[in-house]
Amino acid sequence: MKKLIVPVLLAVLLGACSSSPDTGAEQTGAPVESRSSDGVKTVTAGDVGGTKLPAILTDPKSILSKRSVYFDYDRFDIKPEFKDLVAAHAKFLVDNRQFKMLIQGHTDERGSREYNLALGQKRADAIKKAMLLLGVREDQIESVSLGEEKPSCIEQSESCWSKNRRGDMLYAGEF
Amino acid sequence: MNRHFRQLAVACAAAFSLAAHAQLSIEVTGAGANRIPVTIADFGGEPGVARALTSVVRGDLERSGMFSLVEQSQSPLTEASTIDFAAARGRGADAVAAGSIGGGGDGRYESRFRLFDVNKQEQIAGAAFVTGVPQLRAAGHRIADVIYEKLTGEPGVFSTRIAYVVKAGPGRYELQIADADGQNAQAALISREPIISPAWSPDGGRLAYVSFENKKPVIYVHSLASGKRVVVANFKGSNSAPAWSPDGRRLAVVLTKDGGSQIFTINADGSGVQRLASSGAIDTEPQFSHDGQHIYFTSDRGGSPQIYRIGVSGGEVQRVTFEGSYNVTPRLSPDGRTMAFISRREGAFRLAVMDLASRQVQVLTNSFKDESPSFAPNGRMVLIATEVGGRGVLSAVSVDGRIRQRLSVAAGDVREPAWGPFQK
């Protein structure tokens, strides 16, 4: 029995190793690729640039500067203390139809990543539903989940987990 | 019993000095009950490459937990030697592998070996592999695979690859591909945002995964050799949990575009999306059965997350798990007889396996935070992510729970492992 493992043309691959992104020019999310050995090509995912938002959305004195709704463990209903915040953002979106919002749902780290992604979606959906009832248009709003992937607090304690069970309301340009 | 292979791994990495960073190091705890005593003689030939080749073969076989290595009873001992079977038996070896490495003049080496049954006093296997220097490790893995298969009766997985995600720091995630021994790690994707749920195509050439690079979960299929990526699902809402059909044509995915997390099937190029079922509950983590006839999935339709099964064209849903209040992430063994999953026991998340015929469940670990099980293609081990000292590591556990290997990266959190298929 004789088998051949075809050798990869390593020199050729290494020659293409050092492609780095151009600086200066705007990077609009085009992937950056580079080669490493043995036939696996490295892809770098691009990033999205930011834009300016009106002061009313960012002024710390404005309720609209607050973006997070926090949830209890295994719960997906908006607690009374967050109803005003959701209503204020809904009113802003109704008054400013050109604005679009992305709601990102989050969970704490316990359990399966994919199941947590689904739980985070339920939180984002709860906020979205409340806003639709308050007159926001379906095409202004998207609810998605980041599951347990983007915790705002990383200790393993209930006080930390409670900060991670949240929905973040972000305007186009903020995400 | 505790064996450390770090030194070995370092020696091999130095010998072949590939441009690999953040190597996985492997530590074995526990071993099979009846390990086969085998001698892997020092390979003959050019000392540097011969020693490195010997290390790869020995390391593979010893880490598998299925063998105990017996010192060679004659030296030198190569495939050309006359085996002194009495001496080998005197050392307690049931089998002897002897070989050498030749060539090298044109940058190509031939690794030859023969495997002998000591009791029958006859050759039971032999092979030669021609490779360049960068693939010498691959030749070692092939040799170990032949020895493993001859002596255990099931195929070895030393030539397979694993995928996993390393969180290398805040805002740096790498989807890496490494050999099954953790060596030769290469990044397939580098991103500022999380990457989860990598799934190998049945042919081993592509990975489906979920990337958050657009600030929301989007499913990609990534061809490893070319780096070409196809967006398979980027619908409004979240797109996640890709799982390949056994023929590699379709994926089961979870989409929220029509409300709630629901399971759909879709062609690998993103066309032909079809809803599998409708429920008011969370349905996620779909996984095709080995014959492609069923899809196992996690659902909270009964009030707590449990594993269910549905026909690939829909139809009646059957509940599969009943013990406990949190059973998630079904993964089926290649022969379709066993299901690995994560079960919450006493507040901790542990790897469990179910014999699907008898529905008997066995919890295999006493960890705190096991996640993302993935079967080796020969079905003997299950690779999982777990946490040790607050850091993510990978662990391979044999389906009988006896053999454990831990794979960790020195400077990073490792998670989301997926064991690739046999190389064609």
Side-chain angles (χ1 to χ4, degrees), chain A residues 49-114:
Chain A
T51 31
K52 272 262 180 233
L53 289 179
I56 191 170
L57 292 177
T58 52
D59 181 353
K61 281 176 279 188
S62 161
I63 187 174
L64 292 173
S65 68
K66 293 190 174 49
R67 297 302 162 73
S68 296
V69 175
Y70 294 92
F71 292 82
D72 287 337
Y73 177 69
D74 211 22
R75 295 300 294 262
F76 313 96
D77 52 316
I78 298 166
K79 293 195 274 186
E81 61 259 48
F82 294 106
K83 296 223 154 127
D84 287 350
L85 177 62
V86 172
H89 282 288
K91 182 168 188 311
F92 179 84
L93 286 169
V94 168
D95 294 345
N96 299 277
R97 291 291 188 191
Q98 76 278 20
F99 276 79
K100 294 196 169 169
M101 175 180 276
L102 181 70
I103 304 171
Q104 295 176 329
H106 298 266
T107 67
D108 66 40
E109 62 176 45
R110 291 170 289 176
S112 142
R113 289 177 189 277
E114 281 288 355

Side-chain angles (χ1 to χ4, degrees), chain B residues 27-271:
Chain B
E27 187 185 331
V28 181
T29 54
N34 300 303
R35 291 187 296 158
I36 301 166
V38 60
T39 291
I40 309 297
D42 293 330
F43 275 74
E46 209 178 295
V49 286
R51 197 161 28 222
L53 186 68
T54 310
S55 299
V56 171
V57 179
R58 285 184 184 154
D60 280 350
L61 294 174
E62 191 157 33
R63 269 194 311 276
S64 74
M66 303 285 286
F67 302 92
S68 63
L69 296 186
V70 176
E71 212 178 305
Q72 65 197 79
S73 53
Q74 61 191 103
S75 188
L77 177 53
T78 71
E79 81 285 1
S81 308
T82 306
I83 309 290
D84 183 345
F85 287 109
R89 196 183 301 128
R91 295 267 178 159
D94 281 358
V96 172
S100 66
I101 185 160
D106 56 353
R108 292 164 73 81
Y109 286 93
E110 187 178 79
S111 308
R112 307 171 285 256
F113 85 104
R114 288 179 175 168
L115 179 67
F116 300 91
D117 183 316
V118 170
N119 294 311
K120 289 185 188 153
Q121 306 199 1
E122 63 183 29
Q123 180 181 332
I124 50 175
F129 303 98
V130 177
T131 64
V133 174
Q135 289 80 36
L136 263 179
R137 294 191 63 82
H141 294 318
R142 292 290 180 105
I143 291 170
D145 278 336
V146 172
I147 296 170
Y148 184 98
E149 179 159 9
K150 265 292 161 201
L151 298 181
T152 69
E154 62 189 30
V157 293
F158 306 118
S159 300
T160 59
R161 298 197 286 180
I162 57 174
Y164 51 89
V165 175
V166 177
K167 189 181 179 199
R172 187 172 173 97
Y173 298 83
E174 292 191 13
L175 175 61
Q176 294 191 352
I177 314 296
D179 295 346
D181 63 353
Q183 296 293 305
N184 198 18
Q186 300 166 71
L189 177 71
I190 300 170
S191 178
R192 290 202 175 97
E193 299 295 339
I195 304 158
I196 64 168
S197 306
W200 289 89
S201 63
D203 65 6
R206 291 170 293 169
L207 277 177
Y209 54 77
V210 177
S211 170
F212 292 75
E213 66 202 63
N214 291 319
K215 313 300 173 182
K216 58 176 274 188
V218 172
I219 300 169
Y220 294 81
V221 166
H222 186 133
S223 297
L224 292 174
S226 66
K228 186 167 166 278
R229 302 201 300 161
V230 175
V231 173
V232 173
N234 183 13
F235 296 100
K236 196 171 181 186
S238 297
N239 310 267
S240 71
W244 292 88
S245 64
D247 65 7
R249 290 196 191 144
R250 281 178 82 73
L251 293 160
V253 297
V254 172
L255 308 177
T256 68
K257 67 186 184 79
D258 300 336
S261 296
Q262 296 281 289
I263 298 172
F264 294 73
T265 57
I266 192 166
N267 291 326
D269 65 0
S271 66

